[in-house]
Amino acid sequence: MKTNEIIGIDVSKLLIDVCIYSKQIVQQFENSKSGFKLMLKWCFKNSSFPKEETMFVFEHTGMYSHLLSVFLAEEKSSFFIASGLEIKRSIGIVRGKDDQIDAKRIAQYGYRLKEELKPSNLPNSSVLQLKSLLSLRTKLNKQRAGFKATLKEQKRIYKATEYKTIFDVQQKMIAELTKQINKINAQMQSIIEQDITLKETYKLVTSVKGIGMQTAVMMIVFTDNFSKFENWRKFASYCGVAPFPYQSGTSINGRTKVSHLANKKLKAIINMCAISAIQHNPEMKLYYQKRVLEGKSKMSTVNIIRNKLIARVFAVVKRQTPYVDTFKFAS
């Protein structure tokens, strides 16, 4: 059914500001289940359109918007979770900040694009659990890396006999963090093993040479088990590895390059996969050496390999068969 009403919602930690676009009225509610129930009653009481023709639009704010998305999914209400940057850029130049005004701007953004917006779907519980575990593991990895770097420098400068306690405490912290990271990895593997669909996807993704456990889990989470992106090119653009031209008329003719607007976590790990593939995959190693000998840029070649890996992952998932290394059969 066609969307005729847009409800813009500005989500904060404790409150949500809600704007009905057709009436341009704003009301504030608690960011809780009881607050959401009151919000629905207020929206449908003051809107001229039925529930089936209404879409709620709000910005992705992590766990603060999670409760709202779960509630709307349970109520079978259409909603669209937008990128904060996309909303900000669509509005244009603005001055100042106010939650009620932000709710109106989000409603305006949704109304402008109402013909193009496709309702968001809440990932299943397994993917949500994996996402939370990934976030926690990232934090622990950063803390461990910080302790390791500090300890390394201190050992280089200080005497072990004089700073034994400082060294021992940090080594124990590193050991404990490593233990907890391994625990998280084991839990993620357990979640995947218990979900038949995720288990099959994980096997297919890791069948591609160069793609390991961490990369596979991240790709499953950020693609919602490969349901969010229509093809590998759109995912490559999301990761920031898809090259775009930079030219205009006759005066601007820059080189083709990737955009800085990207998921930097995914880009970093896919880059590591590409480097690993160059070192350990004979096919990728030969391809890389051949292009470099031809005088091509090393970085552009690495980027091509990033795209090759992404394309192969999407291909095996789409056809539901493991990757076959045809290079070993070549004469």
Side-chain angles (χ1 to χ4, degrees):
M1 189 173 287
K2 186 179 179 182
T3 300
N4 290 312
E5 181 68 280
I6 296 293
I7 311 291
I9 306 175
D10 181 72
V11 183
S12 59
K13 182 180 179 180
L14 300 175
L15 301 168
I16 58 171
D17 289 87
V18 185
C19 173
I20 301 174
Y21 183 81
S22 62
K23 299 292 179 68
Q24 286 295 298
I25 54 176
V26 183
Q27 186 62 269
Q28 193 175 74
F29 302 92
E30 286 185 3
N31 189 354
S32 64
K33 195 166 185 177
S34 59
F36 301 152
K37 288 179 180 178
L38 291 173
M39 175 198 72
L40 277 187
K41 288 181 182 178
W42 177 79
C43 287
F44 296 130
K45 179 182 177 182
N46 290 281
S47 174
S48 305
F49 300 96
K51 178 181 178 180
E52 293 75 18
E53 297 178 24
T54 302
M55 181 177 287
F56 295 85
V57 180
F58 52 95
E59 181 185 341
H60 175 68
T61 55
M63 59 183 177
Y64 297 140
S65 61
H66 175 70
L67 279 175
L68 177 59
S69 56
V70 170
F71 175 80
L72 292 174
E74 289 174 350
E75 292 294 320
K76 294 181 170 53
S77 296
S78 296
F79 64 94
F80 179 77
I81 305 175
S83 160
L85 180 63
E86 187 178 344
I87 293 173
K88 185 178 179 181
R89 293 204 166 191
S90 71
I91 293 170
I93 299 173
V94 295
R95 293 175 176 82
K97 178 171 174 58
D98 179 87
D99 290 342
Q100 290 193 1
I101 293 174
D102 286 346
K104 287 185 177 181
R105 288 169 178 166
I106 292 170
Q108 184 181 40
Y109 158 83
Y111 189 79
R112 285 175 178 173
L113 300 174
K114 66 177 183 176
E115 303 297 334
E116 302 173 23
L117 298 182
K118 294 181 180 179
S120 301
N121 294 313
L122 197 66
N124 65 37
S125 59
S126 296
V127 174
L128 287 172
Q129 287 180 62
L130 287 174
K131 189 174 184 179
S132 297
L133 288 168
L134 269 177
S135 178
L136 179 57
R137 188 179 66 176
T138 300
K139 291 178 182 177
L140 296 183
N141 272 324
K142 284 183 178 179
Q143 291 177 6
R144 184 175 65 173
F147 279 117
K148 283 183 175 180
T150 302
L151 183 60
K152 183 179 178 181
E153 286 301 301
Q154 287 177 341
K155 282 187 172 181
R156 185 175 66 85
I157 297 170
Y158 301 141
K159 293 180 181 179
T161 53
E162 297 175 2
Y163 292 84
K164 186 178 184 300
T165 302
I166 293 176
F167 293 169
D168 288 346
V169 169
Q170 290 182 102
Q171 285 170 343
K172 285 179 181 178
M173 289 297 295
I174 292 168
E176 182 59 30
L177 287 169
T178 301
K179 180 182 175 182
Q180 297 306 321
I181 290 168
N182 291 336
K183 186 177 179 180
I184 290 172
N185 289 337
Q187 180 61 23
M188 288 195 294
Q189 288 282 9
S190 176
I191 291 169
I192 291 169
E193 287 293 323
Q194 291 171 18
D195 190 302
I196 297 172
T197 306
L198 291 184
K199 184 179 179 181
E200 185 58 32
T201 303
Y202 179 80
K203 284 183 178 178
L204 291 170
V205 174
T206 52
S207 70
V208 178
K209 282 190 174 183
I211 304 296
M213 178 262 187
Q214 188 175 347
T215 310
V217 173
M218 286 187 75
M219 291 183 81
I220 288 170
V221 167
F222 285 105
T223 62
D224 190 8
N225 199 21
F226 292 86
S227 63
K228 276 189 176 180
F229 298 89
E230 294 177 14
N231 53 59
W232 72 267
R233 290 179 180 84
K234 290 189 176 182
F235 181 70
S237 178
Y238 174 73
C239 295
V241 300
F244 291 94
Y246 185 75
Q247 58 183 22
S248 178
T250 57
S251 59
I252 299 175
N253 190 21
R255 63 185 179 87
T256 300
K257 55 186 178 181
V258 298
S259 172
H260 70 279
L261 298 175
N263 184 319
K264 300 296 176 65
K265 292 179 183 177
L266 272 172
K267 184 175 182 178
I269 199 165
I270 289 171
N271 184 65
M272 290 171 65
C273 291
I275 299 299
S276 177
I278 291 169
Q279 293 174 343
H280 304 291
N281 186 338
E283 178 192 0
M284 295 298 185
K285 187 175 183 179
L286 183 63
Y287 177 79
Y288 176 81
Q289 291 173 342
K290 183 181 177 181
R291 276 184 60 89
V292 171
L293 286 173
E294 289 173 354
K296 302 292 176 65
S297 166
K298 290 182 179 180
M299 200 61 239
S300 69
T301 306
V302 171
N303 195 60
I304 290 171
I305 293 172
R306 292 175 189 160
N307 282 276
K308 280 179 177 288
L309 291 175
I310 292 172
R312 289 178 180 183
V313 168
F314 271 73
V316 297
V317 172
K318 184 178 180 179
R319 67 172 184 249
Q320 289 293 293
T321 56
Y323 176 72
V324 178
D325 184 14
T326 56
F327 183 77
K328 63 183 180 182
F329 299 112
S331 56

